[in-house]
């Protein structure tokens, strides 16, 4: 157990305390568009020239993506196609779903509702069913159901938040389906926070013009995910855990026709032939773009982007990455973990080492993050931690001054628990925060029905791009995985009813390897990554690559 | 994070009985990784939300087992650590349309009759890394107080430590899941506002306006966005 903040930080905390009364009820003006642009240009990691690489091969040749992703996109496949026997099919299904997080589970349920027998569905997932970014969401989910709100207002917020780079048809789907999704959740028995009369308790989020964020305490993602998984269990939808997809399969007609899976414990491969395949592998936070810590789960390594790209699906908006403005900066054990935006929605203000306001608490995420980086790096008004991290204070005790004692305990139990373990009481002391790598804004290109440009392949959730353009608003990705998981699942089911699959091949992987060769790319990497590497440096340096057999 | 290991204070831990030196200030999870273990099982969210990393440990001078989450617990000098296998607890399928508590005597007992065997030993509560009053919610379920069971269990991350320790083989986290779904579906009042909006959308009331938005020129859209009214205070 760590015992709270060290003494030298207490001095700064004292200033935060002293200024609290006076700051309360004050707001800081939102930035004008040109002020916003300026802070982005100078301080947001995405706007740096370094750190990106232009793709030399594949369907989106010429586009720039983060170097960490580019390295995997120009790596060789994890498998050697000549070693794989595709004539022996292990699973022959109508719908294969890759990824057992939110989007994948929603897609599976809606495939069943659309008439596919659960026996003819298979979910392949890397860790356990539900181990995913979806499980971790704290803040909430947007949907425009209040009287003073509308899907049109939601549309405008989402597209403006994305700096008008979103695909209009996808934003339309997102916002018009929102209330429908919530209705479905009510029927499944998801427990949302409600007023006495049954209407939802709703909060604002960064960049939203209305109170539109529905939540279940700060366990919103967990509540959604565990109910969806429970329902998939009720319907007996087969799930292969610890058995990720490593490459898509195609047939001789060029359509996607399933995937090659690998059992992570035995390294045996399985051939899955599927009439429709849904990519739902989520994001890439564990690539640690620009060496940022991340909020993401262990399996968020961008595998779906790699597999989809090799199979011919173009990508978009991956040059912009979402850094959440408030990741934990102290204590060291939890650096990078999320301090949900809801803390600000409820009234906590970001303040510098002297307890001064320096930004509106609810700017869109990229601007808020850049402003915090500016306060630390540009103006040197941050607090330095014992391990050399920088951070600003998020003044959480304000929440209770505003809404009464007990509010934090009631609305942010996960947060309270997390800090309590390290001797920090967030109802009395502020939280030290710094931006953290949070969300993959872009991804595989999709149409509004969840289909990708490659026949037989569908996608939903964080793996796809276009819905949020270059910046996602809080609460829109839980909605995204529901809306596009649903659409992908329904479209995949319809497609499966009429599709026929020819001879299976991995030729596209051979072709891709050839393109690497032809472009003169030198690489010793293989992808998809599957799991990040966190073993100690010393151990790895002395690691013998020997297989021990009995 | 930092690879500047030379200057860090080191402590000693035992992983499945084997001794390793690791820097102070890590979690159990990152300490095992530092020592050279690569997780396949036993690691999910790394943030205290999924229950994949439930673990049992003991410190050198104590005979008692302790239970916690490997990703949320600081490693201490002299800890004996293990990685837990998964929990093979049975879960009962149900149809959400058929579990209305008003139409059942005690729906919880119908599905999980073993709760009647609870001996109130409170071991489940002591095992819980989330400090949930697990025994109390089992007792609430036994009384047919589904909502109380749901509320008490709400923060459950389904790690299964409760069920591993239970002498009566109760499947706490599965029955609590059932209670919460019943509560969300049948006990909580549903939203009129939502119902109204869903009907409006069904009736196509937003179709024209949405079409206009989708087709709108960029400049006009930007102007609309900048001029939109923002509700600032509750
Ligand atoms: C800490 C945190 C807080 C968040 N808070 C919010 C919030 O408040 N509101 C909001 O709207 N959004 C929030 N988000 C974002 C949101 O949770 C995610 O974007 C969304 O849940 C993604 O859903 P998904 O189904 O696409 O991906 P995931 O839920 O991540 O699921 C992907 C699944 O695919 C699996 N997988 C990966 N590779 C493979 C492979 N090769 N083969 C098979 N399976 C594979 C993964 O292990 C995982 O189970 C948050 C995210 C995080 C990390
Ligand atoms: S890894 Fe998810 S709770 Fe620890």
């Amino acid at each position: 157990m760590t015992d709270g903040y060290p003494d030298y930080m207490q001095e700064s905390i004292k200033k935060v305390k002293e200024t609290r009364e006076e700051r309360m009820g004050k707001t800081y003006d939102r930035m004008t568009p040109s002020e916003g642009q300026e802070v982005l240009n100078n301080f947001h990691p995405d706007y740096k020239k370094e750190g990106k690489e232009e793709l030399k091969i594949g369907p989106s040749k010429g586009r720039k993506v983060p170097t960490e992703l580019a390295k995997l996109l120009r790596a060789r496949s994890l498998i050697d196609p000549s070693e794989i026997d595709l004539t022996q099919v292990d699973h022959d299904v109508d719908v294969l779903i890759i990824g057992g997080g939110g989007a994948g589970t929603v897609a599976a349920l809606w495939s069943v509702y659309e008439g596919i027998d659960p026996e003819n569905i298979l979910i392949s997932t890397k860790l356990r069913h539900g181990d995913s970014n979806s499980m971790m969401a704290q803040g909430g989910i947007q949907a425009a159901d209040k009287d003073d709100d509308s899907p049109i207002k939601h549309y405008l917020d989402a597209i403006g938040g994305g700096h008008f780079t979103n695909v209009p048809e996808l934003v339309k789907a997102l916002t018009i389906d929102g209330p429908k999704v919530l209705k479905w959740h009510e029927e499944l028995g998801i427990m949302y926070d409600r007023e006495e009369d049954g209407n939802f308790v709703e909060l604002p989020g960064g960049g939203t013009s209305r109170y539109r964020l529905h939540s279940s305490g700060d366990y919103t993602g967990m509540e959604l995910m565990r109910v969806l998984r429970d329902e998939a269990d009720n319907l007996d939808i087969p799930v292969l855990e610890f058995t990720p997809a490593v490459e898509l399969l195609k047939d001789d007609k060029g359509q996607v026709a399933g995937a090659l899976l690998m059992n992570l414990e035995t390294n045996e491969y399985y051939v899955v032939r599927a009439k429709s395949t849904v990519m739902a592998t989520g994001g890439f936070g564990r690539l640690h773009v620009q060496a940022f810590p991340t909020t993401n789960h262990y399996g968020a390594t961008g595998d779906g982007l790699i597999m989809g790209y090799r199979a011919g699906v173009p990508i978009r908006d991956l040059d912009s990455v979402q850094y959440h403005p408030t990741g934990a900066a102290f204590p060291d054990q939890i650096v990078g973990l999320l301090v949900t935006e809801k803390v600000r929605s409820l009234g906590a203000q970001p303040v510098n080492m002297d307890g001064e306001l320096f930004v509106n608490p609810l700017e869109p995420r990229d601007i808020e993050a850049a402003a915090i980086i500016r306060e630390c790096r540009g103006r040197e008004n941050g607090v330095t931690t014992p391990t050399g991290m920088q951070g600003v204070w998020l003044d959480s005790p304000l929440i209770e001054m505003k809404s009464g004692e007990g509010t934090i305990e009631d609305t942010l139990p996960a947060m309270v628990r997390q800090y309590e373990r390290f001797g920090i009481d967030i109802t009395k002391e502020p939280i030290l925060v710094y931006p953290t790598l949070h969300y993959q804004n872009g991804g595989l290109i999709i149409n509004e029905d969840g289909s990708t440009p490659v026949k037989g392949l569908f996608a939903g959730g964080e793996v796809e791009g276009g819905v949020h353009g270059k910046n996602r608003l809080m609460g829109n990705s839980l909605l995204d995985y529901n809306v596009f998981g649903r659409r992908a699942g329904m479209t995949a089911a319809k497609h499966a009813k009429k599709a026929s699959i020819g001879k299976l091949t991995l030729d596209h992987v051979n072709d891709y390897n050839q393109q690497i060769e032809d472009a003169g790319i030198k690489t010793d990497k293989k992808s998809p990554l599957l799991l990040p590497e966190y073993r100690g440096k010393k151990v790895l340096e002395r690691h013998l690559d020997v297989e021990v057999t009995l | 994070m930092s690879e500047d290991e030379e200057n860090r204070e080191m402590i000693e831990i035992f992983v499945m009985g084997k001794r390793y030196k690791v820097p102070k200030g890590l979690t159990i999870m990152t300490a095992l990784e530092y020592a050279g273990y690569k997780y396949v099982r036993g690691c999910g969210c790394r943030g205290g939300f999924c229950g994949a990393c439930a673990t049992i440990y003991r410190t050198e001078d104590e005979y008692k087992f302790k239970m916690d989450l490997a990703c949320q617990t600081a490693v201490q000098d002299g800890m004996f650590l293990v990685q837990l296998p998964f929990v093979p607890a049975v879960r009962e399928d149900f149809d959400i349309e058929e579990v209305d508590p008003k139409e059942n005597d005690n729906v919880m007992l119908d599905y999980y009759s073993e709760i009647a065997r609870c001996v109130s030993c409170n071991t489940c509560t002591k095992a819980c890394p989330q400090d949930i009053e697990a025994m109390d919610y089992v007792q609430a379920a036994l009384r047919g107080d589904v909502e109380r069971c749901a509320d008490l269990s709400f923060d459950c991350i389904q790690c299964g430590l409760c069920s591993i320790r239970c002498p009566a083989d109760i499947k706490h986290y599965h029955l609590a899941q059932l209670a919460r779904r019943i509560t969300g579906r049948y006990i909580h009042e549903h939203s009129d506002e939502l119902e109204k909006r869903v009907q409006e959308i069904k009736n196509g009331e937003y179709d024209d306006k949405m079409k206009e938005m989708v087709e709108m020129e960029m400049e006009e859209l930007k102007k609309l966005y900048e001029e939109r009214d923002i509700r600032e205070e509750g």
Side-chain angles (χ1 to χ4, degrees):
Chain A
M1 170 118 153
T2 319
D3 297 319
Y5 295 111
D7 286 346
Y8 80 88
M9 282 193 197
Q10 295 294 351
E11 285 166 37
S12 171
I13 293 178
K14 207 169 137 220
K15 289 187 195 158
V16 175
K17 233 183 209 163
E18 285 165 6
T19 52
R20 193 170 287 145
E21 198 88 30
E22 202 197 315
R23 264 184 287 118
M24 194 179 133
K26 272 200 192 152
T27 56
Y28 199 87
D29 285 344
R30 291 197 193 214
M31 291 188 207
T32 62
S34 65
E35 285 167 349
Q37 201 54 52
E38 194 195 321
V39 69
L40 288 175
N41 287 342
N42 291 326
F43 292 97
H44 196 281
D46 275 352
Y47 291 71
K48 272 199 196 161
K49 292 215 175 48
E50 321 83 73
K52 290 202 188 68
E53 189 179 302
E54 193 178 298
L55 297 174
K56 300 250 162 20
I57 51 170
S60 298
K61 199 155 101 179
R63 270 189 189 268
K64 283 195 170 165
V65 301
T67 313
E68 294 78 1
L69 176 63
K71 280 186 183 155
L72 296 176
L73 283 171
R74 60 174 157 76
R76 282 171 200 287
S77 174
L78 212 51
I79 53 145
D80 176 354
S82 71
E83 290 177 352
I84 312 289
D85 176 9
L86 293 174
T87 61
Q88 198 193 325
V89 173
D90 299 285
H91 301 269
D92 204 353
V93 294
D94 286 341
V95 181
L96 167 67
I97 290 161
I98 305 177
T105 310
V106 170
L109 292 171
W110 283 91
S111 292
V112 176
Y113 301 157
E114 199 58 40
I116 305 288
D117 186 335
E119 276 181 23
N120 293 324
I121 297 175
L122 180 67
I123 299 180
S124 135
T125 198
K126 184 153 56 184
L127 304 167
R128 301 175 312 168
H129 188 189
D131 291 347
S132 59
N133 284 359
S134 298
M135 191 64 101
M136 306 180 75
Q138 302 173 18
I141 176 169
Q142 286 200 43
D145 64 318
K146 288 268 175 228
D147 271 348
D148 71 348
D149 199 4
S150 77
I152 311 295
K153 291 197 164 71
H154 190 178
Y155 179 98
L156 199 56
D157 286 345
I159 209 159
H163 308 306
F164 306 93
T165 53
N166 327 38
V167 178
E169 292 292 342
L170 298 181
V171 186
K172 171 183 161 189
L174 181 81
T175 54
I176 204 86
D177 280 6
K180 250 184 283 184
V181 160
L182 272 261
K183 192 76 199 162
W184 176 53
H185 288 175
E186 276 193 337
E187 281 157 14
L188 289 175
I190 287 175
M191 286 172 67
Y192 281 108
D193 296 342
R194 292 174 190 271
E195 310 281 2
E196 293 275 295
D197 61 4
N199 288 321
F200 298 103
V201 175
E202 295 181 35
L203 287 169
T208 68
S209 63
R210 286 292 179 274
Y211 284 41
R212 188 188 293 134
L213 200 71
H214 306 65
S215 45
S216 309
D218 56 353
Y219 284 114
T220 312
M222 177 169 96
E223 169 61 359
L224 265 61
M225 187 69 241
R226 64 191 178 187
V227 169
L228 295 169
R229 178 178 58 195
D230 196 57
E231 191 57 13
D233 284 345
N234 274 344
L235 301 182
D236 289 323
I237 297 170
V239 184
L240 286 178
E241 298 186 324
F242 300 99
T243 308
V246 291
E247 215 57 87
L248 287 169
L249 298 176
K250 285 192 157 184
D251 72 357
D252 47 5
K253 293 178 253 176
Q255 53 186 348
V256 167
L260 192 74
L261 315 184
M262 186 177 87
N263 181 329
L264 279 181
E265 284 157 322
T266 62
N267 276 27
E268 182 182 1
Y269 73 79
Y270 307 122
V271 175
V272 184
R273 178 165 60 200
K275 292 182 180 144
S276 298
T277 302
V278 178
M279 192 61 86
T281 49
F284 70 15
R286 290 277 155 196
L287 300 186
H288 294 289
V289 175
Q290 299 201 25
F292 268 80
T294 185
T295 60
N296 285 197
H297 87 290
Y298 189 43
T301 50
D303 302 351
L305 295 175
I306 311 292
M307 293 185 274
Y309 194 69
R310 282 196 186 125
V313 185
I315 53 176
R316 55 171 295 151
D317 299 326
L318 283 164
D319 53 334
S320 88
V321 176
Q322 183 162 85
Y323 297 87
H324 195 288
T326 59
F330 183 89
D332 208 31
Q333 286 94 341
I334 58 168
V335 163
L337 291 188
L338 185 66
V339 176
T340 171
E341 184 163 321
K342 201 171 158 190
V343 179
R344 280 174 286 136
S345 302
L346 287 165
Q349 300 166 336
V351 295
N352 64 21
M353 60 191 273
D354 295 318
E356 297 161 349
L357 286 170
F358 59 90
V359 65
N360 183 292
L362 292 177
E363 293 281 6
R365 286 201 169 153
D366 48 356
I367 293 182
E368 189 86 18
I372 292 176
I373 297 176
R374 174 172 67 188
E375 200 63 18
C376 293
R377 311 268 170 211
R379 299 177 175 161
E380 309 205 347
N381 285 331
V383 175
T384 308
T385 73
T387 51
M389 289 248 343
Q390 292 265 311
V392 297
W393 297 111
L394 190 54
D395 197 12
S396 45
L398 273 174
I399 297 174
E400 303 215 324
M401 284 173 67
K402 195 172 146 194
S403 308
E405 214 168 298
T407 310
I408 294 182
E409 184 74 47
D410 286 350
T411 50
L412 300 165
M415 212 74 269
V416 171
R417 191 171 275 132
Q418 189 151 62
Y419 278 89
E420 227 170 42
R421 286 167 175 279
F422 300 101
I424 295 169
D425 177 356
I426 66 167
T427 65
K428 303 214 162 54
E429 292 171 306
I431 307 168
L432 198 71
V433 295
Y434 193 77
T436 177
L437 174 51
H438 189 50
Y439 186 76
Q440 167 194 305
N441 288 316
L444 300 176
I445 286 191
I446 56 161
N447 303 306
E448 53 180 309
D449 66 355
S451 60
T452 71
V454 177
K455 205 166 166 194
L457 186 66
F458 309 83
E462 198 168 336
V463 72
E464 33 82 356
V467 180
H468 314 286
K470 295 200 191 291
N471 181 50
R472 168 187 69 100
L473 297 187
M474 168 191 205
N476 272 350
S477 55
L478 287 180
L479 183 59
D480 176 342
Y481 91 57
N482 277 283
V483 167
F484 292 98
R486 172 177 172 272
R487 286 179 175 232
M490 288 166 76
T491 313
K494 284 187 196 129
H495 177 81
K497 287 180 197 159
K498 52 182 205 310
S500 73
I501 299 295
K503 189 169 168 284
L504 298 180
T505 98
L506 277 165
D507 284 350
H508 65 287
V509 176
N510 289 322
D511 288 350
Y512 198 83
N513 281 341
Q514 192 58 48
Q515 287 184 50
I516 296 177
E517 203 75 27
D518 294 347
I521 294 169
K522 299 259 173 296
T523 177
D524 55 0
K525 270 197 180 295
K526 290 190 173 172
S527 63
L529 186 61
L530 303 182
L531 293 175
E533 182 58 80
Y534 294 130
R535 284 175 290 182
K537 210 162 114 193
K538 268 196 205 140
V539 178
L540 288 177
E541 277 166 8
R542 302 169 68 93
H543 187 261
L544 297 177
D545 205 4
V546 176
E547 194 167 342
V548 182
T549 46
L550 293 176
Chain B
M1 299 278 126
S2 106
E3 284 288 350
D4 179 22
E5 288 150 10
E6 310 296 296
N7 310 324
R8 295 169 78 172
E9 188 183 334
M10 304 296 273
I11 57 173
E12 218 169 51
I13 57 167
F14 300 85
V15 183
M16 324 270 180
K18 259 190 209 151
R19 182 197 311 263
Y20 294 93
K21 272 196 165 42
V22 301
K24 204 178 159 184
L26 302 180
T27 59
I28 293 179
M29 181 172 280
T30 51
L32 256 71
E33 288 175 332
Y34 178 90
Y37 288 76
K38 180 148 184 159
Y39 280 96
V40 172
R41 286 187 183 266
C43 173
C45 66
R46 303 179 76 98
F49 286 92
C50 78
C53 67
T55 190
I56 302 185
Y57 67 90
R58 179 174 74 74
T59 47
E60 218 163 8
D61 42 7
E62 272 219 57
Y63 70 94
K64 269 193 182 164
F65 286 137
K66 293 198 174 144
M67 268 146 277
D68 219 324
L69 301 175
C71 73
Q72 296 293 296
T73 308
V75 76
Q76 295 164 32
D77 199 29
M79 260 185 176
F80 284 81
L81 304 167
V82 294
Q83 285 183 280
L84 268 198
F86 94 134
V87 184
V90 177
R91 174 191 167 280
E92 302 298 336
D93 282 351
F94 61 91
D95 179 344
I96 188 72
E97 302 301 329
E98 307 280 319
V99 289
D100 187 341
K102 289 180 239 44
E103 287 168 21
N104 289 274
D105 239 9
N106 183 342
V107 63
M108 300 305 298
L109 265 174
D110 291 348
Y111 286 89
Y112 293 98
S113 57
E114 66 275 15
I115 55 180
R117 300 213 309 256
C118 173
V119 293
S120 306
C121 69
N122 213 26
T123 310
C124 48
T125 302
K126 285 186 211 140
C128 181
Q130 296 284 88
D131 297 328
I132 291 170
E133 298 293 340
M135 184 190 77
D136 291 357
Y137 81 60
V138 171
Q139 290 294 330
L142 194 53
R143 292 193 305 272
D145 191 345
V146 180
E147 188 172 4
R148 175 112 183 113
C149 178
D151 287 342
L152 285 177
S153 70
F154 194 82
D155 296 356
C156 171
I157 56 174
Q158 308 186 318
C159 68
L161 282 171
C162 44
S163 304
I164 291 186
R165 296 286 274 172
C166 178
D169 294 322
I170 291 169
K171 287 81 183 176
H172 308 66
Y173 60 110
H174 289 319
L175 75 95
Q177 177 69 69
L178 173 62
R180 288 191 301 271
R181 289 193 60 186
I182 293 174
T183 303
R185 171 64 190 263
Y186 295 103
I187 300 178
H188 283 175
E189 212 53 67
H190 283 188
S191 163
D192 296 336
E193 287 175 334
L194 177 65
E195 178 57 32
K196 184 168 156 234
R197 182 59 39 84
V198 169
Q199 286 313 323
E200 287 170 3
I201 291 171
K202 247 191 212 149
N203 298 339
E205 286 177 35
Y206 296 97
D207 291 359
D208 292 345
K209 188 77 196 163
M210 195 55 104
K211 186 158 178 283
E212 208 181 292
M213 298 295 285
V214 168
E215 289 167 359
M216 193 174 284
E217 292 295 330
M218 182 71 78
E219 284 319 305
E220 203 184 334
L221 198 61
K222 282 188 175 164
K223 193 159 160 268
L224 259 188
Y225 179 70
E226 270 150 37
E227 288 170 0
R228 79 204 200 287
D229 71 302
I230 299 178
R231 179 174 160 196
E232 287 283 3
E233 277 297 321

